[in-house]
Amino acid sequence: MPNRIIVLLKWIVFPLCLLPLALLVWYGVHQNLSADPVAEITHVTGRWALVFILISLAVTPVRRLHPRLGWLIRFRRMLGLYAFFYASLHLCTYVFLFSDLDVPGALANLQAHDWAGFRAQWAVPIATMKDDILRRKFIQVGLFAWCLLLLLALTSPAWIMRRMGGRRWSRLHALVYVAAIAGAVHFWWLVKPGVLRPLPYTLALAVLLLARIAWWLQKKLRRGGIPAPVKVQQPGLS
Amino acid sequence: MSRFRIPPIASSEITPREVFANRRQFITGAAALGIGGAVAGSLATLAAPAVEAAEKLQTVPGKFTTTGEPLTPYGKVTTYNNFYEFGTDKSEPAKNAHTLRTRPWTVAVEGLVKQPRTFDIDSILRYRPIEERVYRFRCVEAWSMVVPWDGYPLSEFIKACDPLPSAKYVQFLSLHDSKQMPELGSSGFSGPYSEGLRMDEAMNPLTLLTLGLYGEVLPNQDGAPIRVIVPWKYGFKSAKSIVKVRFVDKQPPTTWNNMAPDEYGFYSNVNPSVDHPRWSQKTERRLTGSFFPQIKQTLPFNGYGNEVAALYNGMDLRKYY
């Protein structure tokens, strides 16, 4: 695939990945985000974070299907960063909208430069979040997943990869599997018992993980040993 | 007497009009075809899906109406529903519940009664004057609405059922029919949705046998044609689309309590001091139709403590959550 076309494709894929956010804003502006917009935004951003983790995890297995699909690797970082982007929106929704902050009140305080009032508005949300983090497993595992994604996002630039060396960098970025599993667990732990909404995501993740294991085993059998780590080629983000 | 009370309604809350418009169109359409008014009316209920039928109810203002709190718009009350038999996503019941057939409909009364009986829904509708009662509705998921329900006290119906003195609890069973409820398989419910009340709770004047909302018969997704509303308890206690009322001497098994006893107690009174394992119950998001919900302190018994707290004298409500 010529570089020119890849650059062009990136110009298409990049805004395409913003579409879920754009739709969210569109529906929000048109009062069409269900009766409980806060809950809706939380769910939508969380789900898209998971979807982007899954898509970025799918890049390598799909590449292995055919030698001519190698160029897909050049989209992986963008997809991974979008996973982090939506996970961060998800976290922000939790902090600013879901944790009992009186948003109109806080905004009014900001406008009036009433800093004491603004700080006071945060007393309840901070107590709520503290309580959540200390006591609620699904919050803990979700926050853990976000921290991992943050680490991976911070170490995603090409110069950091070069500085770290491909092998160490790949090993670090294998943590994306942990983040994906933590994300799925987060989803399962927050739905009511009997609700199967996380199932499709979990199945997709399982397939992707199994594909890796199968590939690894196959390679090991063929070579009669543990495979040498693959040199990852990650050109800079254009 | 005026049929409506005019609640303090913001301009954003005038959604019902669309629904009226739909019905208007249908009736004028029928009239244009040369069908007489009365026939058109009855045809409308026969031919149109119940969602569009939006039959008006004659109501009188009821006691126990909350005032001073803005109503949740009709369009929100009818598109944000937990009714798992029609899908587990809250937007799904509004899309899927048109397959529910609300006529013919009967409610079977059985168990500890003098004589088991079956009531036709239309006789239940005519049995007592229908009151409009504006109640706060608090979901266990920490969101809440303010809804003008239409119905009459459940106690009136229970008296008509003639339960024996040995009856200590009343159990409500909802319709369980995969033909009418396409998502029944994915609901996770193995049998009909079951809820129950202690007899004194059921006889409390706040407990409403509910047949409509906003002055119209219940939309299917809100539990048509007949449900209960128990305003001091979390919403899942207010069983929908009831087909069977059973009087029993022991606490009946109830659906959510069976599914997750640590999350959903039999009593499930609204209680800010007993958290759900996965979230706090201290506050609630009052859904008023605006983008930002009002954050409200949750009140014990959903603010109906004066009327119902005495029912639980001497009970440890942390244990019997």
Side-chain angles (χ1 to χ4, degrees):
Chain A
M1 179 82 57
N3 193 51
R4 213 160 41 88
I5 294 181
I6 287 178
V7 171
L8 186 74
L9 270 178
K10 280 195 179 182
W11 277 101
I12 296 169
V13 173
F14 187 89
L16 214 57
C17 294
L18 284 169
L19 210 59
L21 176 64
L23 280 176
L24 210 51
V25 172
W26 174 266
Y27 285 132
V29 168
H30 290 85
Q31 302 256 323
N32 220 344
L33 277 182
S34 86
D36 195 352
V38 170
E40 190 72 10
I41 296 169
T42 313
H43 296 155
V44 170
T45 51
R47 259 179 260 180
W48 279 100
L50 209 45
V51 167
F52 276 105
I53 294 184
L54 291 173
I55 298 177
S56 65
L57 277 178
V59 168
T60 299
V62 170
R63 279 175 69 220
R64 283 179 188 142
L65 292 178
H66 197 277
R68 294 186 63 180
L69 290 172
W71 54 274
L72 282 172
I73 191 69
R74 296 191 53 189
F75 290 84
R76 193 171 64 176
R77 175 179 22 216
M78 188 203 285
L79 295 166
L81 284 172
Y82 264 115
F84 172 67
F85 173 69
Y86 281 102
S88 302
L89 287 180
H90 184 59
L91 179 66
C92 285
T93 320
Y94 167 75
V95 172
F96 294 103
L97 294 176
F98 211 86
S99 304
D100 300 339
L101 178 69
D102 172 13
V103 180
L107 289 177
N109 283 331
L110 275 184
Q111 258 169 2
H113 300 282
D114 175 6
W115 305 115
F118 182 72
R119 260 205 309 279
Q121 293 279 12
W122 279 93
V124 172
I126 285 173
T128 304
M129 288 189 274
K130 218 163 150 186
D131 191 46
D132 274 351
I133 291 167
L134 290 175
R135 289 173 48 199
R136 299 199 164 87
K137 285 190 303 179
F138 82 97
I139 296 276
Q140 293 162 355
V141 73
L143 202 56
F144 170 67
W146 181 81
C147 291
L148 288 180
L149 290 180
L150 173 68
L151 180 68
L152 301 189
L154 289 175
T155 55
S156 68
W159 65 270
I160 292 188
M161 187 173 69
R162 277 196 295 274
R163 185 74 67 82
M164 283 181 74
R167 188 177 173 166
R168 270 169 64 205
W169 187 91
S170 307
R171 227 183 253 165
L172 176 71
H173 279 247
L175 283 174
V176 69
Y177 295 107
V178 181
I181 293 168
V185 170
H186 169 69
F187 202 174
W188 279 111
W189 278 350
L190 73 89
V191 295
K192 282 181 206 166
V195 173
L196 300 178
R197 235 169 286 154
L199 190 61
Y201 306 87
T202 313
L203 289 177
L205 178 60
V207 167
L208 292 172
L209 290 177
L210 284 174
R212 308 257 159 167
I213 292 169
W215 183 80
W216 185 77
L217 280 178
Q218 194 193 14
K219 205 166 173 184
K220 193 176 162 183
L221 284 175
R222 207 180 287 162
R223 297 235 179 119
I226 292 170
V230 201
K231 257 260 184 320
V232 184
Q233 295 243 320
Q234 273 271 33
L237 184 71
S238 39
Chain B
M1 190 192 311
S2 128
R3 266 164 61 187
F4 307 102
R5 282 177 338 96
I6 309 292
I9 279 186
S11 61
S12 63
E13 292 174 12
I14 315 186
T15 347
R17 236 180 232 172
E18 292 162 24
V19 180
F20 291 159
N22 271 344
R23 176 163 165 74
R24 280 268 157 70
Q25 269 168 14
F26 185 86
I27 294 174
T28 35
L33 287 170
I35 308 166
V39 186
S42 60
L43 269 184
T45 38
L46 274 177
V51 179
E52 284 171 35
E55 201 181 315
K56 289 215 66 74
L57 292 167
Q58 297 270 355
T59 61
V60 296
K63 276 205 289 182
F64 306 110
T65 276
T66 63
T67 51
E69 290 178 274
L71 300 181
T72 303
Y74 181 90
K76 304 292 179 194
V77 177
T78 56
T79 56
Y80 200 68
N81 309 94
N82 277 322
F83 200 165
Y84 278 28
E85 293 90 328
F86 293 107
T88 55
D89 197 275
K90 276 183 266 294
S91 63
E92 286 177 311
K95 291 171 199 148
N96 296 337
H98 58 91
T99 50
L100 177 71
R101 289 190 308 273
T102 56
R103 290 295 185 287
W105 190 282
T106 55
V107 178
V109 175
E110 58 175 49
L112 300 170
V113 285
K114 288 223 175 73
Q115 176 79 54
R117 298 178 59 178
T118 299
F119 290 96
D120 184 75
I121 184 66
D122 290 307
S123 66
I124 296 175
L125 264 159
R126 283 190 300 265
Y127 181 61
R128 283 287 181 270
I130 293 178
E131 301 172 27
E132 187 201 65
R133 293 194 186 182
V134 179
Y135 280 161
R136 289 177 287 273
F137 182 88
R138 170 62 156 81
C139 180
V140 73
E141 299 165 343
W143 52 267
S144 64
M145 296 182 170
V146 180
V147 183
W149 302 105
D150 306 301
Y152 51 81
L154 178 67
S155 60
E156 302 275 353
F157 179 75
I158 289 181
K159 281 178 214 152
C161 298
D162 233 346
L164 299 172
S166 52
K168 297 285 178 274
Y169 292 86
V170 54
Q171 181 183 17
F172 307 101
L173 293 164
S174 301
L175 183 74
H176 189 77
D177 177 1
S178 53
K179 271 193 233 108
Q180 294 183 61
M181 298 169 147
E183 298 293 316
L184 198 55
S186 57
S187 69
F189 303 158
S190 48
Y193 189 86
S194 164
E195 257 312 330
L197 296 170
R198 220 169 54 190
M199 208 54 166
D200 55 346
E201 297 175 322
M203 294 300 286
N204 187 278
L206 275 181
T207 307
L208 195 69
L209 187 72
T210 304
L211 301 151
L213 59 84
Y214 266 100
E216 294 171 4
V217 295
L218 285 170
N220 289 358
Q221 61 272 30
D222 288 273
I226 182 168
R227 67 176 300 177
V228 286
I229 287 293
V230 195
W232 71 94
K233 292 175 181 282
Y234 294 122
F236 69 90
K237 290 296 293 179
S238 296
K240 297 191 179 95
S241 304
I242 295 167
V243 291
K244 200 171 276 183
V245 175
R246 191 183 280 161
F247 293 90
V248 290
D249 56 354
K250 288 191 190 67
Q251 184 179 305
T254 55
T255 296
W256 281 109
N257 183 236
N258 280 354
M259 302 255 279
D262 57 327
E263 297 189 2
Y264 314 102
F266 174 79
Y267 285 93
S268 281
N269 295 317
V270 175
N271 190 347
S273 55
V274 176
D275 282 349
H276 185 279
R278 283 176 281 135
W279 54 82
S280 153
Q281 297 288 30
K282 290 180 195 67
T283 56
E284 65 201 55
R285 297 190 302 284
R286 174 65 55 80
L287 309 180
T288 56
S290 64
F291 181 81
F292 294 114
Q294 265 179 291
I295 307 293
K296 289 205 162 248
Q297 297 294 318
T298 290
L299 301 169
F301 302 108
N302 204 18
Y304 297 101
N306 284 342
E307 288 82 11
V308 300
L311 294 172
Y312 310 100
N313 277 344
M315 269 177 82
D316 179 0
L317 293 179
R318 289 187 160 275
K319 190 174 165 213
Y320 297 100
Y321 56 85

